[in-house]
Amino acid sequence: MKIAILSGGTGWHVQDLVRAAGELGHDARPLDFRGLSAGVNCASDALATFDAVLVRTMPAGSLEQVVLRMDLLHEAAARGMPVLNPPRAIEVCVDKYLTTARLARAGIATPPTAVCQKSDDAMTCFADLGGDVVLKPLFGSEGRGMCRITDPETAWRTFRVLEQTGQVIYLQQFVRHPGRDFRAFVIGDRVVASMRRTAVNDWRTNVAQGGTAEPVVLSASDTALALRAAEVVGCPIAGVDLLPGPNGEMFVIEVNAVPGWKALAPTCGVDVAKEVVRFLAEGT
């Protein structure tokens, strides 16, 4: 099978997928999203010679560029080409508000959340959420750009800057957790690997932000929750983050449609890249 790995470069995950595909007898080739082109009634489709597509990362670009890239994924899927993850799943999961709304509508526990465009509205929501919130970029991962705000003056100044620069203000009520959470890596109907992440001198548990990781076997209920969360947003492959609440509840705080495994794979002793490629090949 000839597999296109779409990304913004040839980083570690891309190379790991190329390695895994080769060991499984497939031909995987990195393609930069920024160099893609397509045609209608002419031969200029960069994906036409491939049998399947794996989406690794979406590089930054203008609105037109990002829309075109997603259009190319939609067209490839419409022609019957396997695309992982499906383009609609990527669109849902890249948007924290849409992901949270889908999860909540399905009855999955998520922290109380508000999304605003005006700083005055955000200040009202800040108070409604108890004056202790996590401000997150609408698009982003690995804990980058998140900050906890408990001071009204800091909140006002921050929200004003975001409004004036045309950004969306996404707020979640801070969940008083035990300093740890869980990452479940879902492929199809299985959790192929899971780890416990523990914060180190920070409230954020992300390994990319200094958290530590250890393998863990999820309970049956937590496994079912992770699988359900991935299903709700339409992701055959997903990184699902589960956060224990103060009253014994388990919140889903993120579903990542382009999950990484650089820390997860060695922590759990699982060749995640091979699992991903094998799943793609077996589904075609």
Side-chain angles (χ1 to χ4, degrees):
M1 174 184 290
K2 188 176 179 182
I3 303 169
I5 303 175
L6 295 181
S7 69
T10 55
W12 184 89
H13 286 92
V14 171
Q15 293 303 315
D16 200 34
L17 288 167
V18 170
R19 186 258 326 153
E23 291 178 4
L24 290 171
H26 304 293
D27 178 15
R29 302 189 184 184
L31 285 184
D32 195 316
F33 260 118
R34 293 166 292 195
L36 293 185
S37 60
V40 177
N41 295 329
C42 67
S44 62
D45 189 339
L47 298 178
T49 61
F50 290 89
D51 302 307
V53 171
L54 274 173
V55 180
R56 185 50 241 160
T57 57
M58 173 71 75
S62 69
L63 177 60
E64 284 190 352
Q65 289 171 325
V66 173
V67 168
L68 173 62
R69 295 167 194 168
M70 293 308 303
D71 287 346
L72 298 182
L73 294 181
H74 279 290
E75 280 302 301
R79 294 195 303 268
M81 180 180 290
V83 179
L84 285 180
N85 268 312
R88 185 52 183 158
I90 295 172
E91 290 170 345
V92 171
C93 290
V94 76
D95 181 335
K96 285 187 175 65
Y97 165 71
L98 190 53
T99 301
T100 303
R102 288 280 181 92
L103 294 172
R105 183 149 40 92
I108 294 173
T110 59
T113 302
V115 58
C116 311
Q117 298 182 74
K118 299 294 184 181
S119 53
D120 287 341
D121 295 334
M123 285 303 298
T124 299
C125 293
F126 173 75
D128 290 343
L129 293 172
D132 188 354
V133 302
V134 177
L135 172 68
K136 300 180 180 182
L138 195 64
F139 309 135
S141 62
E142 297 185 329
R144 295 189 180 94
M146 297 196 319
C147 62
R148 182 181 175 185
I149 301 177
T150 58
D151 173 60
E153 180 63 25
T154 301
W156 170 247
R157 290 178 179 273
T158 304
F159 300 161
R160 284 288 291 171
V161 169
L162 293 174
E163 178 186 350
Q164 291 170 356
T165 54
Q167 299 182 65
V168 169
I169 306 165
Y170 177 93
L171 306 173
Q172 281 193 328
Q173 186 178 71
F174 180 75
V175 175
R176 297 192 177 279
H177 57 82
R180 64 181 185 275
D181 70 357
F182 303 95
R183 162 58 67 97
F185 201 102
V186 173
I187 299 182
D189 59 359
R190 299 183 299 138
V191 172
V192 299
S194 52
M195 64 182 178
R196 179 189 295 114
R197 304 180 298 192
T198 303
V200 177
N201 300 320
D202 196 5
W203 56 272
R204 294 175 295 180
T205 62
N206 306 76
V207 174
Q209 302 302 323
T212 61
E214 58 185 327
V216 67
V217 177
L218 296 179
S219 68
S221 60
D222 290 345
T223 297
L225 178 61
L227 293 174
R228 175 63 177 150
E231 178 187 27
V232 163
V233 296
C235 279
I237 297 174
V240 182
D241 291 344
L242 307 175
L243 182 68
N247 300 312
E249 68 273 64
M250 187 67 80
F251 293 100
V252 174
I253 55 173
E254 183 175 1
V255 183
N256 192 329
V258 190
W261 58 85
K262 193 172 184 179
L264 180 79
T267 296
C268 299
V270 176
D271 192 333
V272 176
K274 275 191 176 178
E275 294 286 345
V276 169
V277 173
R278 190 176 289 115
F279 179 78
L280 175 64
E282 291 175 354
T284 60

